[in-house]
Structures are given as structure tokens and as C-alpha cells.
């Protein structure tokens, strides 16, 4: 929350035929962490990557692995990704049934030395995570409906970022705030002015002709907006 802005490229938009070199290029470009979208075809209408990809990434890169679990049974699968090498795991509040399950997921992650985040879909009010804010290393605001890359940013998502800031400040904590969905040159300044720290960029970076230049350009406009908002 109002920390130095980081770009977290989503490898869902990367070229999987040369994933190793893609990751190296993103690391050299100055990305802060690597966003790994895990989809089960049930919680969201798409299938993506799983434990084997996380294991291989953990072996071959020093990048922090930001593993976003878009799955229906996170308590069952979470240990797999913790063991595979995730540095931060994000679980959707919509996939957890009650407070006990949220706290169990948190304990699993922190007992493994892994940071823990909760995410909310666009239609889920931020108030759903308010009572857990003191547990969280990060909050992920989805600015598109999860499941597919390349979607357009949902206007007003920055208001949810600002609401997380208010909730966190009231609790005396300062989790990172991440935004995922339609983030690029036009939308990065909007969410960073509201308090976002970590920007998940898919096509805007990985699909650009020059990913390194695209990453730096987005980072530049995001940091400028952050500085202006804090003046």
C-alpha cells in the first residue's frame, strides 16, 4: 500500500515455447515478481498451468513467484503449490466457505514461510476481506472477470483499491495491493494513484513488440501517478 510500484508480468501471456528465455528477459527488464495464473476449469472457465510449471520456474529463476490460485478447492491444493516453490500465494475469498477456511489457508502459507493474499472478483465487495486484513501480505483486486487474458479493465476498479487502503489504514496495517486485469499505460496510473503497488501485466508487457520497453514505460507512468497522488 503506497509502496514502490512493481510490475508482475503474467506468464499466461508469455510464449510457452520459449518460457525460460521469456522469464530471463522479464527479469532483466526490471519486473518485480512473476505472476503465475493457475486455473482449474471449474472456478473459472479456463485451464492453465499447475504445479509442474511452478516447480520448474522455482528451479530456474530467482524471481519471486506470485501464484494466483483461481481454483475451487484451495485448501486441498494449496500444499502442492507451497511445496513447489511459490513465494506468495493468492486465494480467492469466493473459494473459501467461512472464516475458519480463510484462517486455515493463511496458516498453511505462513507455516511454510510463504506470503499470503486474498483476492476479490469484480462483483465481490471489498468488505468481504475486511475482517482478515491483518493477516494479509497482499490484497488482489481483480479488474476483469478472472479466467482469460486480454480483457479490458473494468472502470471503477480503482475505487476498490482506495477502499482497501481505507480498511488497511483503519486497522493499522499496510499490505501490498495488487491489481490484475487490463493494466497498461492508460490504466496503471489510475490504480496506482488510488494506492496499488503491484500491477499484473499480461498482453501489455508479454505481448508487446519490446516487452522490456513496455514494462519500463508502464512503470514510469505508474510511479509518476503515485508521486502526484502523494503530494
Amino acid at each position: 500500500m503506497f509502496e514502490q510500484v512493481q510490475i508482475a508480468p503474467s506468464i499466461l501471456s508469455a510464449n510457452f515455447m520459449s518460457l525460460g528465455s521469456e522469464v530471463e528477459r522479464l527479469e532483466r527488464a526490471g519486473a518485480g515478481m512473476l505472476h503465475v495464473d493457475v486455473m482449474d476449469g471449474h472456478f473459472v472457465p479456463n485451464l492453465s498451468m499447475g504445479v509442474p510449471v511452478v516447480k520448474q520456474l522455482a528451479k530456474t529463476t530467482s524471481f519471486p513467484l506470485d501464484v494466483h490460485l483461481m481454483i475451487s478447492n484451495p485448501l486441498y491444493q494449496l500444499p502442492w503449490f507451497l511445496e513447489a516453490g511459490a513465494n506468495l500465494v493468492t486465494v480467492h475469498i469466493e473459494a473459501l466457505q467461512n472464516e475458519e477456511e480463510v484462517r486455515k489457508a493463511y496458516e498453511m502459507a505462513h507455516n511454510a514461510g510463504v506470503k499470503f493474499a486474498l483476492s476479490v472478483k469484480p462483483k465481490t465487495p471489498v468488505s468481504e476481506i475486511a475482517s482478515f486484513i491483518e493477516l494479509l501480505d497482499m490484497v488482489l483486486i481483480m479488474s476483469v472477470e478472472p479466467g482469460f487474458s486480454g480483457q479490458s479493465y473494468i472502470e471503477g476498479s480503482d475505487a476498490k483499491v482506495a477502499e482497501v487502503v481505507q480498511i488497511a489504514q483503519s486497522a493499522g496495517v499496510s499490505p501490498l495491493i495488487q491489481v490484475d486485469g487490463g493494466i497498461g499505460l492508460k490504466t496503471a496510473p489510475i490504480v496506482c494513484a488510488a494506492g496499488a503497488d503491484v500491477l499484473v501485466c499480461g498482453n501489455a508487457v508479454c505481448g508487446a513488440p519490446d516487452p522490456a520497453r513496455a514494462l519500463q514505460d508502464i512503470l514510469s507512468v505508474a510511479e509518476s501517478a503515485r508521486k502526484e497522488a502523494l503530494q
Side-chain angles (χ1 to χ4, degrees), residues 10-14 37 39 46 48 70 142 144-152 180-182 200-204 206-207:
S10 170
I11 61 169
L12 188 64
S13 300
D37 288 302
M39 305 179 190
N46 196 8
S48 63
M70 289 171 274
M142 291 299 302
V144 298
E145 287 293 338
F148 295 92
S149 62
Q151 299 180 69
S152 297
D180 182 358
V200 178
C201 295
N203 289 343
C206 296

Side-chain angles (χ1 to χ4, degrees), residues 123-144:
K123 294 179 182 179
T124 302
V126 171
S127 58
E128 291 289 318
I129 65 168
S131 60
F132 308 112
I133 196 71
E134 295 180 15
L135 303 179
L136 304 180
D137 297 294
M138 188 175 78
V139 174
L140 168 55
I141 300 297
M142 291 299 302
S143 46
V144 298

Side-chain angles (χ1 to χ4, degrees), residues 2 7-8 46 50 53 60-61 69 123 125 127 132 144 150 153 185-186 212 225:
F2 293 114
I7 305 295
N46 196 8
V53 173
T60 58
T61 181
L69 299 177
K123 294 179 182 179
S127 58
F132 308 112
V144 298
Y153 172 86
L185 283 171
K186 292 182 179 180

